[in-house]
Amino acid sequence: MSQNFTPSDRTQTLLVLALLGESDKTGFELVHALEARCDCAFFCREGMLYPILYRLCEAGQVSSYIKETEAGSRRCYRLTRSGARVLGRKRDEWKLLSRAFDAPKGGEACAKNTD
C-alpha cells in the first residue's frame, strides 16, 4: 500500500500542468486524476488544488471557462500556449533529473552499510 505524501509546490504544479496537457478538466476531475495516477500516494484536496490553479491562471499558464452540462455549470481549466511551453521545459528537467538518479555513477558506496 502506498504511503501518502505531499509533493512540493513545483511537483504539484508539474502534475496539474501535465494533466491539463492531456485535456481540459474540472477541479473535481483533476483531484480524482491525481489520486488515480499516483496510486493514491498523492492525496489532494480541493483546498490544495485551487490555489495552484489560481496561481497558474494569474501566470497565464492556465485559463478557465464555464461549461454547461446536464448536472449544471462547471468551471473547466485548460492549458494555454504559455503553460504548454512551461510544461515542456519542466518535463525536460524531470527527464534529466530522473536519468541522473537512475544512472549509477559510483554512488553505490554511499548506500552500502558500513557496519
Side-chain angles (χ1 to χ4, degrees), residues 4 16 24 37 41 46 50 63-64 66 79 83 85 90 96 111:
N4 288 344
V16 170
D24 297 0
R37 292 283 178 89
E46 287 85 356
Y50 286 105
S63 63
S64 69
I66 301 297
L79 198 62
R85 285 191 298 272
K90 288 186 178 290
L96 285 171

Side-chain angles (χ1 to χ4, degrees), residues 82-96:
S82 172
R85 285 191 298 272
V86 169
L87 176 58
R89 284 194 306 270
K90 288 186 178 290
R91 279 187 172 153
D92 291 343
E93 291 170 8
W94 182 258
K95 288 175 189 174
L96 285 171

Side-chain angles (χ1 to χ4, degrees), residues 14-58:
L14 175 59
L15 292 170
V16 170
L17 290 173
L19 287 172
L20 291 175
E22 295 172 356
S23 66
D24 297 0
K25 291 179 178 44
T26 65
F28 180 82
E29 290 169 330
L30 283 166
V31 167
H32 289 282
L34 286 168
E35 289 174 357
R37 292 283 178 89
C38 299
D39 195 24
C40 294
F42 173 43
F43 182 70
C44 181
R45 290 196 170 97
E46 287 85 356
M48 292 170 57
L49 175 67
Y50 286 105
I52 295 167
L53 287 170
Y54 298 149
R55 214 172 29 247
L56 291 170
C57 284
E58 286 178 12

Side-chain angles (χ1 to χ4, degrees), residues 103-112:
K105 301 277 189 213
E108 298 86 4
C110 295
K112 290 182 182 176

